[in-house]
Amino acid sequence: MRTSFITSKVEIEDIITHCDVCFVGIIEADGTPYVIPMNFGYSNDEIILHSAPEGKHLRLLELNNRVCVTFCSDKKLVYQHPDVACSYSMQAKSVVCKGSVTFIEDLSEKELALNVTMKNYTDRPFKYSKPALANVKVWRVKVDEMTAKSFGQNFKNHRG
């Protein structure tokens, strides 16, 4: 299976914006990875996430605010020969981002950040009540490192 690195910022951001869910990896106190799927927004090298105002994920981020966020798009089952199980694979593009989480506390900034997230899912504008803004934890992940790959591109046949 051929794998190639993607270096074009435009192509990398295109992969991100074509995803509905990202996976956020956090480190537990004993070093075990803890990965959660999340809705997200992306703008200006920042990933915007939101969650409940308390929970295991927030306790872990207090210990270590470094995260790894992954995205995968353009998934398609491919094979070299339909009768050979070992020739089956997935064709896809992926992005891996590493960065640190900070939390947005200012209600006006939270509203702007939540609109970045909503823009990933709809073009509708939204307004948020003060209680809604006060009861959500809004994460800002400043991306320090971003890599992307395309894999499985050499397969000629596919099923989709």
Side-chain angles (χ1 to χ4, degrees), residues 4-20:
S4 57
F5 286 93
I6 299 170
T7 57
S8 162
K9 180 85 172 209
V10 171
E11 190 173 354
I12 291 170
E13 290 180 341
D14 186 61
I15 295 166
I16 292 171
T17 58
H18 280 90
C19 292
D20 293 329

Side-chain angles (χ1 to χ4, degrees), residues 111 115 124-129 132-133:
E111 186 166 0
N115 280 328
R124 291 186 52 209
F126 288 90
K127 293 201 177 273
Y128 307 87
S129 68
L133 291 170

Side-chain angles (χ1 to χ4, degrees), residues 2-95:
R2 194 174 118 231
T3 299
S4 57
F5 286 93
I6 299 170
T7 57
S8 162
K9 180 85 172 209
V10 171
E11 190 173 354
I12 291 170
E13 290 180 341
D14 186 61
I15 295 166
I16 292 171
T17 58
H18 280 90
C19 292
D20 293 329
V21 174
C22 67
F23 293 87
V24 181
I26 304 169
I27 300 298
E28 295 209 39
D30 67 358
T32 304
Y34 180 73
V35 180
I36 53 176
M38 296 184 78
N39 296 108
F40 70 94
Y42 176 82
S43 180
N44 301 318
D45 293 325
E46 290 183 345
I47 301 165
I48 303 297
L49 306 162
H50 68 285
S51 68
E54 51 191 50
K56 177 179 181 174
H57 54 288
L58 298 176
R59 290 190 300 277
L60 294 175
L61 288 169
E62 287 176 8
L63 301 173
N64 183 350
N65 72 335
R66 298 285 300 158
V67 294
C68 180
V69 183
T70 61
F71 305 86
C72 187
S73 71
D74 302 330
K75 300 172 290 293
K76 188 183 299 182
L77 180 65
V78 294
Y79 51 83
Q80 289 179 331
H81 192 284
D83 297 329
V84 179
C86 294
S87 79
Y88 279 73
S89 187
M90 291 299 288
Q91 181 181 68
K93 294 179 180 179
S94 66
V95 177

